[in-house]
Amino acid sequence: MLVVLNNKCNFEKESFKKYIKELNKITTANEVVLCPSNIFLSDVKLKRKFLGSQDVSKNSSGSYTGEVSAKQLKSINVDYCIVGHSERRLNNRETNEDINLKIKELLKYNITPILCTGEAKDERLNNKTKSVIKKELQACLKNIDKKEKVIISYEPLWAIGTDDIPTSSEIEEVIVCIKDILPNNRVLYGGSVTEENIKELNKTNLIDGYLLGRVSLYPKRVKKLLEEIK
Ligand code: PGA
């Protein structure tokens, strides 16, 4: 299983040092990717874990104040990068076209994109979940070879940061739909995953892994969760 830890905009220098010390004590057969704040990417020393970024610029280099490019990420050994997280789509008005350009940049530099996709609550209530996801995947992966190892993370917007999660069968239905389009890609689930609900979620053998937000900030909880899915 692949477990992505999305720290979002959390930790400062000292608290991050303590966090890494604890995180590095965890041993697991699962593949763990840590996505810390950009400021920590270049000097974090991870044991048995991979390094990921939470976002990337759609441009390779040049006059783009505040941006970090795929080329720069590669130069500090970043292997994975989250793209299209709903918080960026909402707060930064990121479009599917922007995300498509970002994925192309990442692939150019051999960084594995973790593409987030998911429906809003009203879309689910109106039976539009599958059509929203198909549309997002088509647009975000436009002109990208199906053989590319893009990881998809199914993240219903209404489940992120809310403690409200879809049932296992609702998740399964969406994963089947994603795997119909992309049979060879790994598909994760993200949105209020905890060490408590992981057992139930993991009964679905279609899920290839999980993306954790809040729980990622607590190494003890991460450890418990990893133990449940070994
Ligand atoms: P959460 O975040 O685990 O805090 O709900 C998940 C996410 O942002 O994908």
Side-chain angles (χ1 to χ4, degrees):
M1 287 263 167
L2 172 65
V3 176
V4 180
L5 308 177
N6 180 8
N7 285 171
K8 305 190 182 183
C9 184
N10 289 295
F11 295 121
E12 298 78 44
K13 191 175 175 180
E14 288 310 314
S15 54
F16 187 68
K17 256 193 215 166
K18 281 189 199 149
Y19 170 76
I20 290 300
K21 206 172 155 194
E22 291 308 307
L23 200 70
N24 274 339
K25 289 181 188 161
I26 302 175
T27 51
T28 174
N30 296 292
E31 189 179 340
V32 179
V33 177
L34 175 70
C35 302
S37 223
N38 269 355
I39 60 162
F40 300 123
L41 282 173
S42 68
D43 50 27
V44 60
K45 301 268 181 302
L46 291 174
K47 286 193 187 139
R48 302 170 295 269
K49 288 157 198 84
F50 296 92
L51 190 58
S53 169
Q54 297 174 14
D55 185 38
V56 67
S57 173
K58 59 185 179 187
N59 304 103
S60 295
S61 61
S63 303
Y64 302 101
T65 303
E67 301 266 294
V68 175
S69 71
K71 192 176 179 185
Q72 290 177 307
L73 293 176
K74 194 66 204 178
S75 74
I76 53 165
N77 302 319
V78 168
D79 288 314
Y80 293 83
C81 180
I82 299 171
V83 272
H85 191 283
S86 60
E87 286 156 10
R88 293 208 58 86
R89 291 183 194 252
L90 292 171
N91 302 334
N92 302 71
R93 300 211 185 100
E94 244 176 48
T95 64
N96 289 329
E97 290 69 32
D98 294 328
I99 296 161
N100 177 252
L101 293 173
K102 290 180 179 206
I103 295 176
K104 287 177 178 159
E105 274 300 301
L106 291 169
L107 293 173
K108 214 195 286 178
Y109 293 98
N110 224 356
I111 297 172
T112 305
I114 302 168
L115 167 61
C116 301
T117 180
E119 81 287 1
K121 192 74 181 181
D122 61 316
E123 291 166 335
R124 173 160 284 273
L125 294 175
N126 290 312
N127 259 328
K128 289 198 178 134
T129 301
K130 288 186 197 168
S131 62
V132 166
I133 286 169
K134 273 186 197 161
K135 200 174 145 205
E136 278 191 358
L137 291 182
Q138 253 160 19
C140 293
L141 298 173
K142 195 172 170 196
N143 296 328
I144 292 172
D145 195 324
K146 281 204 171 181
K147 284 192 212 114
E148 293 286 3
K149 291 195 173 16
V150 178
I151 295 167
I152 311 298
S153 190
Y154 169 50
E155 315 219 334
L157 272 57
W158 49 275
I160 297 175
T162 59
D163 294 326
D164 185 11
I165 67 166
T167 63
S168 302
S169 65
E170 284 170 335
I171 297 175
E172 253 178 41
E173 221 180 292
V174 174
I175 296 188
V176 167
C177 161
I178 296 173
K179 296 220 173 195
D180 264 353
I181 311 171
L182 301 163
N184 302 316
N185 296 50
R186 288 197 277 180
V187 183
L188 316 180
Y189 169 77
S192 294
V193 178
T194 67
E195 67 280 30
E196 274 101 37
N197 61 28
I198 192 83
K199 257 196 192 145
E200 187 56 35
L201 287 169
N202 214 39
K203 285 183 185 159
T204 312
N205 55 17
L206 291 176
I207 299 180
D208 298 310
Y210 299 93
L211 191 145
L212 313 178
R214 285 159 297 165
V215 168
S216 80
L217 307 177
Y218 305 96
K220 278 193 182 128
R221 299 183 68 185
V222 173
K223 183 171 183 270
K224 263 196 187 164
L225 191 145
L226 289 168
E227 280 165 1
E228 294 290 347
I229 57 169
K230 60 183 174 224

